[in-house]
């Protein structure tokens, strides 16, 4: 039976919306702590995987090992959304984190004992990709089960801060693990961090879903997984907010990912900023995005959420287009802070709208569709951006990318449902 329709109250079920704000709610804070530990563990894991692959193979082989997890994740993500909605996100998140923990610790033990080669690393990456395909939709669906709808925007901000924290702490921690005991020690560190999340997740209490949102009713259990999948896609496509919002997210990511990844590397090389200069620009972006997440965490909601999500994206895109024309590194860093603040605010508001506009029973599938948009469409811009910069240079390519990103904001503003969308008060 789904967690949302538990017939007998237990210690892990909340019957009423918490009276305190999410950032002061111990139940939500346990979930945020679990999510943060898991994300830091992920960051350490991928650094350890990359290091071990480089040490055990050629650069081309290492590239294949580090990228192979993306294939099962992209192929299975929609199915993972169905699993999260059918089984309930809490048990899926706990189960997937447990599997990841055991797998990573087992590989760490094998690396301490022997040198199994690239095949083990590739297998580990594939397992992670498969588990991620169910973990990511379940993580997106869980907040609606632990707090009230009026607190979901604040939770989205807290989640954004956790991601930024993981990026800042995880990489140095993984590097320290590699320096102390090689890839095996870094993998062990990642496994232990993921292990920390499991008891915290077990202690998180669930709210009962309203009857219309329940996923464990007899009628819901009689449907097939395929019908759930197609029904979820129809739900997103026909929704007056979610449908156009997915298009806006796709365009925004398509225009944003290329310039802020491979494009920035080529720009730093072209302008003579070097790796340290590129690092400063990326730090500026992270600072701005973190400030946007903090704003949403503190405020809890912003009025005219749909307009803010779309309106922030357009000037943020314009700032992306100006990066190649920055007269110096300091100006580029300041521009990156503006880009991070505006696009981060837009992304946080889009995430909050996905959370609050979706029925909780569909959130796993909605999150999966959003993940496919980001993981399947946006990465295509990286090789295209690199090839285009080689032909036309950074200025024109950044300008086109900015136009594509801004088009996402225009699409959102042109959709009445998005334009009028509000976060619950």
């Amino acid at each position: 039976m789904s967690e949302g329709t538990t017939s007998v109250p237990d210690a892990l079920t909340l019957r009423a919306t918490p009276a305190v704000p999410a950032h002061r709610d111990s139940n939500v804070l346990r979930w945020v702590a679990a999510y943060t530990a898991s994300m830091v563990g992920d960051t350490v894991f991928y650094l350890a995987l990359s290091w071990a692959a480089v040490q055990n193979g050629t650069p081309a082989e290492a590239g294949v090992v580090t990228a192979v997890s993306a294939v099962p994740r992209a192929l299975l993500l929609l199915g993972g959304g169905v699993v999260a909605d059918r089984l309930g996100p809490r048990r899926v998140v706990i189960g997937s984190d447990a599997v990841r923990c055991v797998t990573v610790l087992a590989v760490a033990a094998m690396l301490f004992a022997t040198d199994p080669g690239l095949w083990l690393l590739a297998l580990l990456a594939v397992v992670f990709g498969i588990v991620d395909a169910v973990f990511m939709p379940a993580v997106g669906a869980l907040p609606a089960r632990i707090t009230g709808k009026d607190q979901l925007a604040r939770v989205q901000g807290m989640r954004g801060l956790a991601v930024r924290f993981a990026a800042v702490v995880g990489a140095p921690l993984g590097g320290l693990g590699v320096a102390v005991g090689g890839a095996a020690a870094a993998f062990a560190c990642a496994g232990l961090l993921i292990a920390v999340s499991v008891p915290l997740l077990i202690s998180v209490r669930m709210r009962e879903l309203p009857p219309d949102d329940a996923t464990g009713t007899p009628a819901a259990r009689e449907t097939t997984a395929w019908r759930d999948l197609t029904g979820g896609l129809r739900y997103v496509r026909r929704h007056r907010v979610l449908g156009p919002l997915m298009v806006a997210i796709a365009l925004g990511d398509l225009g944003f990912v290329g310039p802020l990844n491979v494009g920035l590397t080529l720009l730093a090389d072209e302008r003579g900023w070097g790796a340290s200069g590129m690092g400063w620009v990326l730090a500026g972006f992270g600072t701005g995005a973190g400030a946007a997440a903090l704003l949403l965490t503190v405020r809890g909601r912003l009025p005219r959420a749909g307009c803010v999500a779309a309106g922030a994206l357009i000037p943020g895109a314009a700032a992306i287009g100006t990066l190649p024309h920055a007269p110096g590194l300091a100006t580029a860093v300041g521009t990156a802070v503006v880009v991070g603040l505006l696009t981060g605010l837009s992304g946080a508001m889009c995430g909050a709208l996905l959370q609050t506009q979706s029925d909780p029973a569909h959130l796993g599938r909605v999150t999966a569709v959003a993940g496919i948009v980001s993981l399947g469409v946006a990465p295509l811009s990286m090789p295209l951006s690199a090839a285009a910069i080689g032909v036309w240079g950074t200025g024109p390519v950044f300008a086109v990318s900015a136009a594509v990103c801004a088009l996402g904001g225009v699409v959102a503003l042109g959709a009445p449902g998005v334009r009028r969308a509000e976060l619950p008060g």
Side-chain angles (χ1 to χ4, degrees):
M1 180 176 288
S2 168
E3 299 132 333
T5 56
T6 306
S7 57
V8 180
D10 57 45
L12 296 178
T13 302
L14 289 172
R15 283 199 167 276
T17 301
V20 296
H23 62 296
R24 298 175 184 172
D25 181 358
S26 60
N27 194 51
V28 174
L29 292 176
R30 284 194 297 272
W31 176 80
V32 172
Y35 180 72
T36 303
S38 184
M39 290 299 98
V40 175
D42 272 8
T43 305
V44 174
F45 165 79
Y46 281 109
L47 188 146
L49 181 68
S50 176
W51 178 265
V54 168
Q55 295 299 307
N56 285 274
T58 65
E61 290 171 336
V64 171
V65 168
T66 54
V68 72
S69 64
V71 176
R73 183 170 56 227
L75 292 176
L76 301 175
L77 195 58
L78 288 176
V82 173
V83 172
D85 285 336
R86 288 178 72 89
L87 299 183
R90 178 175 176 268
R91 68 182 66 175
V92 173
V93 171
I94 292 172
S96 57
D97 258 358
V99 170
R100 296 197 304 169
C101 171
V102 170
T103 304
V104 174
L105 290 178
V107 170
M110 292 182 68
L111 289 176
F112 272 120
T114 183
D115 183 13
L118 283 175
W119 70 267
L120 178 64
L121 300 176
L123 179 61
L124 176 62
V126 170
V127 170
F128 242 69
I130 293 172
V131 178
D132 271 353
V134 294
F135 174 81
M136 293 172 62
V139 164
L142 197 56
R145 314 293 182 99
I146 62 175
T147 191
K149 212 163 190 175
D150 62 327
Q151 295 298 315
L152 288 178
R154 180 171 272 127
V155 172
Q156 189 69 20
M158 297 165 72
R159 184 178 172 185
L161 289 174
V163 171
R164 297 297 159 198
F165 177 83
V168 171
V169 173
L173 189 59
L176 179 62
V178 169
V180 171
F187 277 128
C189 178
L192 292 174
L193 283 165
I194 297 172
V196 168
S197 71
V198 176
L200 287 170
L201 287 168
I202 292 173
S203 70
V204 172
R205 296 165 292 164
M206 297 290 106
R207 297 174 67 250
E208 290 186 351
L209 293 182
D212 290 342
D213 289 333
T215 57
T217 61
R221 288 196 299 268
E222 288 172 5
T223 63
T224 64
W226 177 252
R227 287 182 178 177
D228 283 352
L229 176 59
T230 57
L233 294 174
R234 281 196 304 271
Y235 174 77
V236 171
R237 179 171 57 85
R238 296 174 179 175
H239 199 286
R240 64 186 184 88
V241 175
L242 300 180
L245 198 60
M246 291 295 183
V247 176
I249 291 171
L251 290 169
D253 283 351
L254 192 62
F256 175 81
V257 171
L260 265 297
N261 285 275
V262 63
L264 183 58
T265 302
L266 296 173
L267 178 62
D269 182 65
E270 177 185 290
R271 300 295 298 276
W273 296 338
S276 62
M278 183 182 69
W280 278 108
V281 176
L282 288 173
F285 163 72
T287 300
L294 181 61
L295 173 65
L296 197 55
T297 299
V298 174
R299 289 292 302 273
R301 71 181 297 271
L302 295 175
R304 302 183 65 82
C307 284
V308 171
L313 188 58
I314 295 173
I320 291 174
T322 66
L323 265 176
H325 309 290
L329 179 58
T331 305
V333 172
T335 304
V337 172
V338 174
V339 171
L341 179 62
L342 292 172
T343 59
L345 180 61
S346 176
M349 296 302 286
C350 285
L353 287 171
L354 290 179
Q355 287 281 320
T356 55
Q357 294 289 325
S358 303
D359 289 335
H362 288 85
L363 257 176
R365 283 162 287 178
V366 170
T367 303
V369 173
I372 286 290
V373 165
S374 295
L375 297 175
V377 176
L380 296 176
S381 64
M382 288 191 281
L384 292 176
S385 295
I389 288 173
V391 177
W392 293 293
T394 54
V397 173
F398 270 67
V400 171
S401 296
V404 173
C405 191
L407 182 59
V410 173
V411 167
L413 284 175
V418 177
R419 193 170 60 246
R420 299 168 186 162
E422 294 280 5
L423 297 175

